[in-house]
Amino acid sequence: MTSASRRGAHERRWRTWIPPQHGVWAMLLLPYLAGLQFGLSWLHVPLLVTWLSGWLASYYALLAVKTLRLRRYWRQFLAYGVVSAVAAVPLFALRPGLLWFAPAFAVLLAVNALAARMGQERASVNGIASVTMASLMAMIAPATAGLEWTLGVPVAVAAWLYLAGSVFYVKTMIRERGSRAHYVVSVAFHAGAIAACLGVNPWLAIPFAWFLLRAAVLPRFSLKVPVVGAIEVANSLLLLGFLTLAWWA
């Protein structure tokens, strides 16, 4: 086997266990990291492991639901599911109140499962369900530190506004490029997000003004998918900075 073929085999094995959705990591980490600003606890480590491995388990479970090929994905689902379950033991043992978030996750996962079974996993409703789950982490993080979960509500709202806006915006850049209807929805949502974030924290109008500008202007350019993803990662870091500074300024 040549070195090139070995690299190819290694990449195929890697893709078998790591989803080819690089932009999703910003969605998963932004609310979690933003929620850490209210207080830190060693329990945030198992929380992160539970969250990331749980998402990976759900990803492969949804693939099995979509394709009806459980035998193909059971190893990934089982491995990530076990890791998530084990990491969750100290969380629920020491912070049983976190279980109150379980019904919300169950409903949102049901939306994901229905969309996957119908072959509509790229639908906006499914994307909104996913970003809503991610945004809940901004409230779960302070609760994990033994604080009131309500501390994270403003951060969760701001994160949701950005992530939900990204669902609409990315469609105008890739799958629905050139669609006037999708473009109007994206720009209108971002304009409304500015007004909404003013009620959360006026400082957030700065990054959200940029998010509106990019939603209005960038669809006019033909950008490659990696570039679109890189811009969104940078935007996530920008918002994370503002979500931290706005509450402590």
Side-chain angles (χ1 to χ4, degrees):
M1 180 180 292
T2 65
S3 59
S5 60
R6 283 196 297 269
R7 286 196 299 271
H10 177 73
E11 289 177 2
R12 285 191 294 271
R13 286 194 297 271
W14 180 261
R15 291 172 183 173
T16 301
W17 288 88
I18 302 296
Q21 297 185 6
H22 307 299
V24 78
W25 300 107
M27 177 194 78
L28 295 173
L29 291 174
L30 170 62
Y32 167 83
L33 293 174
L36 296 181
Q37 65 181 297
F38 300 106
L40 295 176
S41 167
W42 69 271
L43 285 173
H44 283 129
V45 175
L47 174 64
L48 181 60
V49 175
T50 300
W51 170 229
L52 295 184
S53 56
W55 181 85
L56 288 166
S58 71
Y59 175 85
Y60 289 104
L62 292 173
L63 277 181
V65 169
K66 176 185 177 181
T67 63
L68 297 180
R69 300 174 68 180
L70 179 60
R71 292 181 62 183
R72 182 173 181 177
Y73 301 109
W74 73 268
R75 291 180 181 84
Q76 294 92 328
F77 171 71
L78 181 62
Y80 288 125
V82 168
V83 171
S84 183
V86 171
V89 170
L91 285 176
F92 295 137
L94 299 176
R95 299 287 187 267
L98 294 177
L99 288 170
W100 285 104
F101 288 96
F105 278 95
V107 171
L108 294 168
L109 281 171
V111 173
N112 288 162
L114 180 60
R117 189 69 196 96
M118 296 175 63
Q120 297 294 319
E121 64 273 13
R122 299 292 182 179
S124 297
V125 172
N126 191 49
I128 297 301
S130 296
V131 303
T132 301
M133 275 191 284
S135 299
L136 290 175
M137 295 302 296
M139 295 180 280
I140 293 174
T144 300
L147 305 170
E148 291 293 329
W149 64 269
T150 52
L151 287 173
V153 171
V155 172
V157 171
W160 185 89
L161 288 170
Y162 164 67
L163 294 172
S166 294
V167 170
F168 300 119
Y169 158 71
V170 170
K171 284 186 177 295
T172 68
M173 298 297 294
I174 304 174
R175 293 182 177 273
E176 300 296 341
R177 180 172 175 78
S179 170
R180 180 66 180 175
H182 283 82
Y183 176 80
V184 170
V185 169
S186 175
V187 172
F189 183 91
H190 282 85
I194 293 180
C197 75
L198 286 174
V200 176
N201 191 302
W203 283 103
L204 295 178
I206 298 175
F208 276 90
W210 155 243
F211 301 153
L212 171 60
L213 180 64
R214 71 94 157 77
V217 175
L218 292 188
R220 302 175 186 178
F221 299 90
S222 181
L223 301 180
K224 295 182 178 180
V225 174
V227 175
V228 175
I231 291 173
E232 290 313 292
V233 170
N235 286 337
S236 297
L237 293 173
L238 173 66
L239 181 59
L240 178 60
F242 270 91
L243 286 174
T244 302
L245 293 174
W247 265 264
W248 300 104

